[in-house]
Each structure stands twice: as structure tokens, then as C-alpha cells.
Amino acid sequence: MAQRFVVIWFHHLLTDWLILKKPGMREVPFIFTAAEHNRIIVIAANQEAESQGIFKGIFAADAKAIVPDLQVFDHKPGRDASLLKTMAEWCIRFSPIVAVDRDNHSLIFDITGCAHLLGSEEAYMNKIANSLHFKGFRIRAAMADTIGAAWAVAHFGKNGTIVPSDEQANALLQLPANALRLQPDNLERLIKLGLKTIGSFIKMPRSVLRRRFGDDILLRIGQAIGFEEEVLQPVKVISPYEERLPCLEPICTASGIEIAIEMLLAKICRRLENEGKGLRIAILTCYRVDGNQQQVQIGTNTPSNNVAHLLKLFTLKIDSIEPALGIELFILEAPKVENINPSQEVFWGETTGLEDPQVAELLDRIAGKFGAGHIRRYLPQQHYWPERSVKSTTSIKEQPAIAWSVAKPRPTQLLPYPQRIEVAAPIPDYPPINFRYKDKVHHIRRSDGPERIEREWWMDKGEHRDYYVVEDEAGCRYWLFRLGHYSADQTHQWFIHGFFA
């Protein structure tokens, strides 16, 4: 398939942006200025100012002399680059590969394999032009087999030109030499020699062109005709696993969104299955006709290419998508995939626990409904100090390095840090009679302990803890401890550190 490119030139980028912010400036001549070599020059002029003879590059003082009531605004460095980047990200709806030509206020689209989605190249070009015009930007556009040819025609040819495949050389002949994006010294030299159009020198021997103008002119000619490759740097790196679904009519209903998601999942899961992979994270981006984007994300505990399961996870998110006037493009990408181990299907499986795929899918649905932060998994660690005896993990497949210790009872909920409590306890080394926690007094009916846990001296310093398992009058069980040895001449500190089921 031959490559095709579209170049969009925003020839009034800054002034169009200001008019969008201040519609009252539409009929007012105004300019943007900036300092350059100790002089104030015009960076951009709106159409009204241009109609009165003010153009980019002249001195601001001269412009004020021509139009006394001219409105002048200071140019903020980097504003045009920021605007172009924003426009490029918005234009991803037309092509997955969009690059920015900052110096020339242009966007470059690689539309190879995209135009047929709207029926024809003409319809595709009109769609882009009309959408940008609807947003309030005046543009010039062209389509060709090469970036160089599309750029040249967009800037110096007829607006909206679609150069047929393999006809880019003929399309360049009547254009001026600066349509090739040459270095200023080469351009000046060509004009001095009277070579003002591309057709006047493009057929000269390469050795002659190289001797007089260097390799730059040969490179630009080759890029425009297609002999030299020109690499784009897209504003967004394409995910290796990404599927797009443009809609002929905007989608406004939940059922329509669900059908679109199912179609995208079927495509991407088929690829993943063929490659022995499953997705861990999937992101759905919905491009609305009003320019807004809606995005939802799902995650799985284990790599999965099960369309039905993944669709259930997305179904939980559909209510958060606001289609407004309609969604015209869906993009599904899987930024994180992992290898999946194919398993033999059996009628009576003996897999249980976390090895059971249904458990992993259940956890995925719970995480999708309540949030991934509501599910935690802990593994034992080689420490007996309570805060270090467990660690949190996000993987369902990670196996514990050691076995869980069952020699002593441990609470099902361990506080990350012990919390201070007020305790009434007989002495010495007796369990407490009651304790106050969060302004509530708990009278203890039963207790067990103490269990002394020494501090790991090679990691930090401090006193040991004497732990008690206590049960209050309501039957609730707690894990309390007293810090350090009992002493009659000091106040002891008591803490609560966990809750039993």
C-alpha cells in the first residue's frame, strides 16, 4: 500500500486562537509582537490587519504608523507550540500518526490506510477541513504520497489539493523554490540565478546541484518526490496493541457503546491470542463530535484475552462515559500485556484458590466495580516484628517465600502503625481491665498473654513489646501491647495494633 500524507497549515494560528477567546476581536485589526535583535517586530497579524498592509516580519512601529488604531499583543514564547500540540492531540481522531511542524505552524498526518474509512480521499480531506473550520481555525491542506509534496502544495499550491499517487513530481513543477523547505542561503542562491520555480532546476544533473548547493537540496528534492525517506515524530507513540473504530453516525446510547467495545475487544483479543498474550490494562478513548474526549480504563489481575470477561469489566464503566451529542471514534489500546500460559481445558478441573481463573475474573469484577484499591493481598516476610512480618503485593501469582506462621494468633487486620490507647491494668504484668479507644471504653472479659516480641535490634532501636489478646463485653477481640518493662516509677504506654475477626 502506497503511503499517503496530509499536511495542515494553520496560517493564522495565533490570531485565530485569540479570536476564539475574544470573539469581539474578529473585526478588529491586531498583531502579536516580540523582541528580535533589540527590535520589536510583528510575529502574527490577523486577516483584518493583513488587508491593510500589515504582515509578519515588519517592525511594530511601522505597523502602528500604517494603522493607528492597531491592537498590539505581546507574544508569549512557546504559545504556538503548545497550541499546535493540543491541535495535534485532538487530530488523532483522524489518524493515529500526527506530527507537529512547529516552525511552520503545520501538522503532518500519516493517513496510510485511513481514507477508505470515510469512503474516499476527498471525503477524508473535507472531514478534516470542516472539523477544523468548525473549531474556528482557518487552514490550508494538501494530500500527497510524500510529506514534502503535501507540505509544498499546502503552503504554495491550491488549498485542498489532492495530488494523485505517483504524480507528486508534476505537482511540484510550478511551485516556487522555497516550497522545498530549503536552507535560506540555498534559496537566496537559487533566486539570484533566476531559478525561481522547482521546475527550473529539478531535472538538473544531481552532480551539478550538489556542487552548487550541497546535499541539502538533493535531500529535499528526494523527500518531495519520494526517493528519500522522511521520518515523522508523532505526538503520541502508537501502542503496539491498538484498535480504532470510526463511526459513520455518532453513537449516543449505552448499547451502542457496548457494541463498539465488543467489536474492538474481539479484534485486539484475536491478535493477543495468536501471539500467546493477554492484556493487563486496557484504555478506551471515546472521541465526541464536540471535540471532547472520554476515557475509561480497566485492569486485570492476570493476563486475559477473554472477550466476554473483558466486556463485563468495561460494562461496569459505561455509565461513566458521557456521549453528549455522540461519539464518532473509539480507540482501544492495551498498553500493558503479558505472556499467557495456555491451559488444557478439562471437564472437571481440580484447580482451586488463586490458581482458579474464575477467582481472578471475580477479583477483576470487584476491582472494576469498587476500585482496585479495595482489594489487597499480603504475603509473609522473614521478620517477626509485626509491622515487617507481611508485605503487600499487586500480583495474584506471586508466591510466598516462606510459610505463614501459625504458632501464635495474629489479628486478621493489622494496623499499619500502633495507635495509643488509655488502659487501666493491675500490676505487674497483668492484662488490662479496660481500655479507651476512639472515645469508647471497652471492658475486658477475657484475655491471653503476654507474648513478648523483641525488637529487631539490627534494624532499629527501642523497647520490646508485651502483646495481649483481649476480648471485650461485646465479644470483639483486640491485639494490645505494653511498650517496655513494667516499672513503678513511670507511666507505661499502651497501644492497640490489630483486630481479630
Side-chain angles (χ1 to χ4, degrees):
M1 180 183 296
Q3 282 193 303
R4 298 289 279 170
F5 297 92
V6 167
V7 171
I8 304 292
W9 177 31
F10 294 85
H11 50 108
H12 287 95
L13 177 67
L14 291 173
T15 56
D16 286 346
W17 165 77
L18 186 64
I19 290 173
L20 285 173
K21 290 187 66 177
K22 300 178 179 180
M25 298 295 293
R26 186 177 301 278
E27 305 298 333
V28 178
F30 67 90
I31 59 175
F32 282 96
T33 62
E36 184 175 306
H37 302 299
N38 298 322
R39 296 174 298 184
I40 305 299
I41 64 171
V42 176
I43 294 297
N46 72 332
Q47 196 169 28
E48 190 69 24
E50 288 182 345
S51 66
Q52 300 184 46
I54 300 173
F55 295 96
K56 176 182 177 181
I58 69 172
F59 297 132
D62 294 342
K64 288 288 290 183
I66 296 171
V67 183
D69 60 344
L70 185 68
Q71 297 287 318
V72 180
F73 298 92
D74 291 332
H75 173 59
K76 181 180 178 182
R79 177 181 288 155
D80 48 350
S82 176
L83 279 172
L84 277 174
K85 185 172 184 297
T86 302
M87 295 303 301
E89 292 174 345
W90 185 83
C91 287
I92 288 176
R93 67 189 60 213
F94 302 119
S95 168
I97 303 176
V98 181
V100 172
D101 179 7
R102 177 185 173 183
D103 295 336
N104 299 292
H105 289 181
S106 302
L107 298 181
I108 304 170
F109 298 33
D110 184 345
I111 63 160
T112 307
C114 297
H116 73 282
L117 298 174
L118 295 179
S120 66
E121 291 185 340
E122 290 80 3
Y124 191 83
M125 180 78 91
N126 291 335
K127 175 70 174 177
I128 297 175
N130 292 336
S131 299
L132 292 172
H133 180 73
F134 179 76
K135 287 183 71 67
F137 288 95
R138 285 167 291 174
I139 62 164
R140 292 177 57 84
M143 182 187 299
D145 281 359
T146 65
I147 298 172
W151 192 97
V153 177
H155 285 73
F156 297 94
K158 183 181 178 182
N159 183 26
T161 298
I162 299 177
V163 180
S165 289
D166 299 327
E167 291 293 329
Q168 56 269 21
N170 293 330
L172 295 172
L173 295 179
Q174 301 304 319
L175 301 181
N178 51 348
L180 284 179
R181 300 173 290 170
L182 298 173
Q183 298 291 339
D185 54 341
N186 274 340
L187 185 59
E188 184 179 356
R189 211 173 304 163
L190 283 168
I191 294 174
K192 283 182 178 178
L193 293 172
L195 304 174
K196 298 182 180 179
T197 63
I198 296 175
S200 62
F201 60 85
I202 195 172
K203 294 183 180 177
M204 288 183 177
R206 291 173 60 85
S207 58
V208 174
L209 291 173
R210 178 182 288 110
R211 186 169 61 251
R212 284 186 171 273
F213 306 104
D215 291 332
D216 173 61
I217 192 170
L218 296 179
L219 174 65
R220 289 304 191 185
I221 291 174
Q223 289 176 339
I225 296 178
F227 296 157
E228 298 282 350
E229 185 178 2
E230 189 168 357
V231 179
L232 286 179
Q233 293 185 344
V235 292
K236 179 189 174 188
V237 178
I238 304 175
S239 170
Y241 300 95
E242 178 180 302
E243 295 292 341
R244 302 165 67 92
L245 180 63
C247 308
L248 295 178
E249 295 292 336
I251 302 297
C252 302
T253 63
S255 58
I257 296 173
E258 184 175 345
I259 292 172
I261 295 172
E262 187 174 11
M263 293 174 67
L264 290 168
L265 282 174
K267 290 181 180 178
I268 207 165
C269 287
R270 192 180 306 121
R271 285 185 55 200
L272 291 169
E273 186 177 6
N274 292 336
E275 298 175 16
K277 298 180 182 297
L279 64 81
R280 290 290 310 276
I281 296 176
I283 301 173
L284 175 72
T285 305
C286 308
Y287 290 82
R288 297 190 333 201
V289 294
D290 61 0
N292 187 283
Q293 296 180 18
Q294 299 281 300
Q295 195 172 78
V296 293
Q297 175 178 325
I298 63 167
T300 60
N301 287 288
T302 57
S304 173
N305 52 34
N306 184 341
V307 175
H309 171 58
L310 297 173
L311 181 60
K312 286 180 182 177
L313 300 183
F314 270 118
T315 303
L316 298 173
K317 307 282 187 179
I318 289 179
D319 289 342
S320 64
I321 299 175
E322 298 178 1
L325 297 176
I327 299 169
E328 58 181 354
L329 174 67
F330 294 89
I331 296 180
L332 178 66
E333 59 178 320
K336 183 178 181 181
V337 300
E338 292 179 358
N339 292 329
I340 191 169
N341 296 321
S343 57
Q344 179 69 41
E345 294 186 359
V346 296
F347 285 111
W348 297 279
E350 297 180 352
T351 305
T352 59
L354 297 179
E355 300 296 329
D356 189 343
Q358 294 184 354
V359 174
E361 294 180 355
L362 173 62
L363 292 175
D364 291 341
R365 292 196 293 274
I366 294 174
K369 190 169 185 177
F370 300 104
H374 289 78
I375 299 177
R376 297 183 178 87
R377 184 180 179 226
Y378 298 96
L379 296 177
Q381 292 202 105
Q382 193 68 43
H383 295 279
Y384 57 86
W385 195 248
E387 288 92 326
R388 305 189 190 100
S389 62
V390 295
K391 70 172 184 178
S392 177
T393 179
T394 57
S395 173
I396 198 173
K397 290 191 172 181
E398 184 177 354
Q399 297 298 320
I402 60 172
W404 284 100
S405 174
V406 295
K408 297 288 185 180
R410 289 292 181 265
T412 53
Q413 182 184 355
L414 184 70
L415 296 174
Y417 301 101
Q419 297 181 15
R420 187 79 178 269
I421 56 175
E422 298 176 7
V423 167
I427 55 176
D429 293 344
Y430 270 57
I433 300 173
N434 60 56
F435 68 94
R436 182 187 295 272
Y437 177 60
K438 292 186 176 179
D439 296 331
K440 182 180 179 182
V441 177
H442 300 265
H443 297 281
I444 297 174
R445 300 302 183 198
R446 298 179 183 84
S447 62
D448 186 21
E451 176 194 356
R452 178 160 296 178
I453 299 181
E454 293 288 350
R455 193 174 291 271
E456 295 169 322
W457 55 267
W458 59 93
M459 300 186 72
D460 59 3
K461 296 181 179 178
E463 297 181 286
H464 67 267
R465 296 171 179 174
D466 286 333
Y467 278 90
Y468 293 88
V469 179
V470 302
E471 180 178 314
D472 65 6
E473 69 279 9
C476 300
R477 304 178 71 193
Y478 306 90
W479 209 33
L480 313 182
F481 71 83
R482 186 189 63 233
L483 188 64
H485 289 286
Y486 168 77
S487 176
D489 56 352
Q490 67 177 12
T491 303
H492 295 88
Q493 295 180 352
W494 283 82
F495 298 85
I496 183 170
H497 202 180
F499 308 89
F500 293 86

